[in-house]
Amino acid sequence: MQTEMIRLDPENPGVDGIEKAAGLIKAGELVVFPTETVYGLGASALDPGAVEKIYRAKGRPQDNPLIVHVSSLEMAGECTVQDLGRYSSILDVLWPGPVTLIFKKSEAIPACVTAGLDSVGLRFPSHPVALRLIEAAGVPIAAPSANISGRPSPTSEEHVIEDMNGRVGGIILAGDTIFGLESTIVDLSREKPTLLRPGPVDAERLGELLPGLEIPGFVRARDEYRGEALSPGLKYRHYSPEIPLILIEGSPGAVVSRAGILARRDKSVVLCSQELADYYPVHVKKVVLGSRNDLYAVASGLFKALRDRDNLNYTQIISEPFPETGIGLAIMNRLRKAAWRIDRV
Ligand code: TXA
Ligand code: MG
């Protein structure tokens, strides 16, 4: 398949490229587009034939539901039977932004979008290109992250070209995404609000907005998925780089010495913090993700480091742990899910 490359300025996308991409969506084709979290692989959420193409292009299991992107509260309201007016104080703060909210779905959303579930994940992104695209298409857009299933989500132009060129109608190229990690997912379709995936809007802030917010154990991803029925996507391995990733968890000194020992046997890259970078042995290649005091910077470079061609020339990637506060909870969730092995020292 010939993929049309559409280059846009992320701040001022203009109309021509947006119209071209929206035309592809309206014609039932797939379009890769940027959001503030990661790039998405979009199709009209109202067109089952187009939605099927998403599963094929990604190689995604059919039982893993897609989230639906909207460009207004009104459009969101059409996708759910719940009264969004009841949530206006929360929605005013969280939308548009990097948060997906799960509600009971309406008839407008075909079963293939939600993999047969009676709920739907709704996301109102804040990225100007994503918003303009949904508005111009005039329909909600179903979109998972635009990676081949199992790989780290794409956060740059290079990543989407690598995974999706030749598989989709169009790719919008608009530079790096902002947060570099997928949206926070909160389930509001049940009695108690439940955090399903940590993300850029952190659990501390969400807890203030949603008193009684449940944070199930799998959010920390310390344990293997044990068949919790809340979110089908949780049972699959995610974000895996092409070479083994070993996550070391423990005190800084123990982490550094364990990394040194592992790197003696295998040619290793260590993903580390600025604070500890100078303590690793010299034979270790270091990729500094950022300061432990600036976890947004660490998050934005994480998937890039897991996909970087230079890093993949090594035998293994070793990662330091990061504090589980703020967006750090999402960083540790992704690292633990991506890891081939976790060494606790
Ligand atoms: O930031 C993001 O959320 C990106 C951008 C493109 O919007 N999208 C994204 O989609 O990360 P995806 O499909 O890679 O991850 C969505 C997750 C999956 O784990 C899926 O199982 C879960 O959301 N999910 C979707 N609908 C759900 C539902 N109705 N109930 C529970 N989990 C759901
Ligand atoms: Mg994904």
Side-chain angles (χ1 to χ4, degrees):
M1 175 187 275
Q2 179 74 27
T3 297
E4 188 154 356
M5 297 293 168
I6 304 168
R7 179 166 291 287
L8 295 181
D9 176 340
E11 304 291 334
N12 295 299
V15 286
D16 293 354
I18 290 288
E19 284 300 332
K20 198 181 284 176
L24 288 168
I25 295 281
K26 286 191 259 188
E29 297 299 331
L30 303 183
V31 174
V32 172
F33 65 98
T35 80
E36 68 274 32
T37 55
V38 300
Y39 274 86
L41 170 59
S44 164
L46 307 183
D47 179 345
V51 169
E52 283 308 318
K53 290 183 187 171
I54 294 180
Y55 287 93
R56 256 180 281 140
K58 261 186 86 92
R60 180 173 178 117
Q62 295 277 352
D63 65 349
N64 193 359
L66 307 175
I67 62 187
V68 172
H69 297 66
V70 298
S71 56
S72 66
L73 284 179
E74 194 193 345
M75 197 186 265
E78 283 164 18
C79 302
T80 172
V81 292
Q82 285 177 253
D83 173 15
L84 293 186
R86 278 190 48 210
Y87 298 92
S88 59
S89 60
I90 303 161
L91 299 183
D92 282 351
V93 180
L94 298 179
W95 277 359
V99 178
T100 298
L101 299 171
I102 310 241
F103 292 105
K104 292 259 181 267
K105 87 174 194 66
S106 71
E107 301 256 296
I109 302 299
C112 58
V113 171
T114 61
L117 297 181
D118 64 358
S119 61
V120 61
L122 297 179
R123 169 143 141 72
F124 185 166
S126 63
H127 195 293
V129 172
L131 284 176
R132 296 293 98 74
L133 176 65
I134 304 162
E135 279 163 9
V139 288
I141 294 184
S145 49
N147 51 287
I148 302 272
S149 206
R151 290 196 191 160
S153 298
T155 61
S156 74
E157 298 182 0
E158 199 186 328
H159 300 165
V160 283
I161 293 171
E162 186 174 85
D163 279 17
M164 290 299 154
N165 192 14
R167 292 172 183 259
V168 297
I171 295 181
I172 298 179
L173 299 170
D176 288 353
T177 62
I178 299 154
F179 293 107
L181 289 183
E182 306 83 353
S183 61
T184 307
I185 304 184
V186 182
D187 193 343
L188 295 178
S189 71
R190 305 160 179 275
E191 218 165 292
K192 280 199 167 168
T194 307
L195 180 65
L196 296 184
R197 182 172 72 184
V201 173
D202 59 54
E204 293 88 332
R205 266 189 62 206
L206 280 173
E208 287 167 15
L209 285 174
L210 295 162
L213 177 74
E214 298 259 313
I215 304 183
F218 61 71
V219 164
R220 296 189 190 278
R222 276 214 190 93
D223 308 310
E224 275 301 292
Y225 174 82
R226 286 205 208 87
E228 286 100 337
L230 288 176
S231 188
L234 298 169
K235 65 177 181 255
Y236 298 107
R237 181 188 275 285
H238 277 84
Y239 322 113
S240 303
E242 288 168 24
I243 56 173
L245 168 71
I246 299 164
L247 172 64
I248 308 176
E249 296 198 38
S251 65
V255 168
V256 169
S257 38
R258 177 78 186 149
I261 291 166
L262 290 176
R264 220 163 23 205
R265 268 201 318 262
D266 292 287
K267 211 172 145 237
S268 307
V269 182
V270 175
L271 309 185
C272 63
S273 61
Q274 213 167 294
E275 286 80 359
L276 294 187
D278 291 341
Y279 293 93
Y280 289 92
V282 284
H283 62 283
V284 175
K285 173 181 167 176
K286 282 160 291 193
V287 172
V288 180
L289 292 179
S291 164
R292 293 165 67 85
N293 298 319
D294 184 8
L295 294 173
Y296 277 95
V298 173
S300 72
L302 177 63
F303 288 155
K304 216 170 217 175
L306 295 181
R307 297 182 71 125
D308 187 299
R309 286 283 128 209
D310 291 338
N311 294 348
L312 298 177
N313 285 331
Y314 287 75
T315 315
Q316 65 190 8
I317 300 176
I318 297 170
S319 182
E320 238 179 57
F322 290 86
E324 279 184 274
T325 51
I327 199 173
L329 183 62
I331 294 171
M332 289 306 288
N333 166 284
R334 306 306 190 274
L335 278 172
R336 288 177 181 136
K337 282 167 164 264
W340 288 44
R341 198 176 84 213
I342 300 176
D343 285 3
R344 295 198 168 81
V345 293

